[in-house]
């Protein structure tokens, strides 16, 4: 007994058309993703990276500015303050500005380059975020050792508490001990960048 097997001419010919359609959809999706990435990159460049040009220009306009050859946008000004501009990394909106007191020269001629520093994180909206790095030195016959402490502060130079009472009290005392240096750094940052 012979059976008739129905044949479908249209089904076999539609497979290549479906593959072509899928390839086109995939290419369109890929093009859309690339366009979105390009727009995001352009938005980042214009809103995060380029605004730091003004900070770099202000830094380079300082009297006696000497840029470090190996570290662009970092150097020493005419008063020996170490300053830098750290632009945001790719697709990050957080960069920072830094300024440190001049290096200390000990009686034996050794230089201590770890000195109090102010870090400023500019924000697109609102006040910048400020922090200080404070050093406690231990001078010995064979040199100097130091320990650092990082604290958040307000634009007025006041301690910004973390929430632990004992630690906050110790940090506030430490900041008070270094008050003169912190005020000097805040004043210098205002002279260079007009902030905080």
């Amino acid at each position: 007994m012979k059976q008739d097997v129905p044949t479908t001419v249209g089904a076999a010919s539609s497979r290549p058309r479906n593959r072509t359609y899928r390839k086109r959809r995939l290419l369109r999706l890929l093009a859309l993703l690339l366009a979105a990435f390009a727009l995001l990159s352009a938005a980042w460049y214009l809103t995060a990276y380029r605004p730091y040009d003004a900070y770099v220009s202000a830094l380079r306009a300082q009297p006696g500015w000497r840029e470090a050859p190996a570290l662009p946008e970092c150097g020493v000004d005419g008063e020996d303050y170490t300053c830098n501009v750290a632009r945001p990394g790719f697709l990050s909106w957080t960069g920072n500005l830094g300024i440190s007191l001049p290096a200390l020269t000990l009686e034996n001629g050794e230089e201590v380059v770890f000195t109090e520093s102010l870090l400023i994180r500019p924000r697109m909206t609102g006040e910048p975020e400020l922090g200080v790095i404070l050093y406690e030195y231990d001078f010995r016959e064979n040199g100097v050792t130091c320990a650092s402490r990082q604290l958040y502060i307000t634009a007025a130079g006041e301690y910004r508490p973390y929430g632990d009472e004992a630690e906050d009290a110790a940090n506030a005392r430490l900041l008070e001990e270094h008050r003169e240096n912190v005020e000097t750094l805040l004043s210098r940052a205002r002279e260079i960048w007009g902030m905080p």
Side-chain angles (χ1 to χ4, degrees):
M1 193 166 16
K2 192 175 182 187
Q3 290 184 344
D4 288 332
V5 178
T7 59
T8 53
V9 177
S13 64
S14 70
R15 282 191 185 124
R17 198 171 347 145
N18 280 344
R19 285 184 186 158
T20 304
Y21 179 70
R22 285 183 186 154
K23 285 181 185 178
R24 283 186 191 154
R25 282 184 68 188
L26 184 61
L27 286 175
R28 285 181 187 154
L29 179 61
L30 183 60
L32 182 64
L33 289 173
L34 287 174
F37 183 72
L39 285 172
L40 178 63
S41 297
W44 167 82
Y45 180 74
L46 294 172
T47 62
Y49 190 83
R50 286 301 301 261
Y52 281 76
D53 289 349
Y55 302 129
V56 172
S57 296
L59 198 57
R60 289 181 176 155
Q62 293 306 301
W65 173 252
R66 299 178 312 274
E67 194 160 87
L71 298 168
E73 302 175 356
C74 179
V76 179
D77 68 11
E79 296 179 31
D80 290 329
Y81 286 86
T82 302
C83 307
N84 74 295
V85 174
R87 294 177 186 262
F90 184 60
L91 295 185
S92 169
W93 270 259
T94 305
N96 67 61
L97 313 173
I99 185 167
S100 299
L101 291 173
L104 301 172
T105 304
L106 303 179
E107 290 176 3
N108 64 4
E110 182 182 351
E111 269 197 352
V112 177
V113 294
F114 297 106
T115 58
E116 268 81 27
S117 302
L118 173 68
L119 299 174
I120 305 168
R121 290 188 187 99
R123 295 185 178 170
M124 289 173 48
T125 59
E127 291 293 314
E129 185 177 71
L130 303 173
V132 289
I133 302 174
L134 305 175
Y135 290 93
E136 294 294 315
Y137 303 103
D138 185 16
F139 298 98
R140 299 180 181 180
E141 285 182 24
N142 60 351
V144 62
T145 60
C146 63
S148 67
R149 187 82 164 159
Q150 297 180 11
L151 310 173
Y152 285 103
I153 63 171
T154 66
E158 300 300 319
Y159 175 67
R160 191 169 289 205
Y162 290 101
D164 180 313
E165 281 187 38
E167 187 175 342
D168 287 341
N171 289 340
R173 277 192 306 274
L174 179 64
L175 183 62
E176 199 51 44
E177 291 171 12
H178 294 264
R179 168 74 44 211
E180 186 178 332
N181 287 343
V182 171
E183 288 178 0
T184 300
L185 290 168
L186 287 168
S187 173
R188 191 74 181 116
R190 286 183 195 105
E191 289 173 20
I192 296 172
W193 295 299
M195 61 189 310

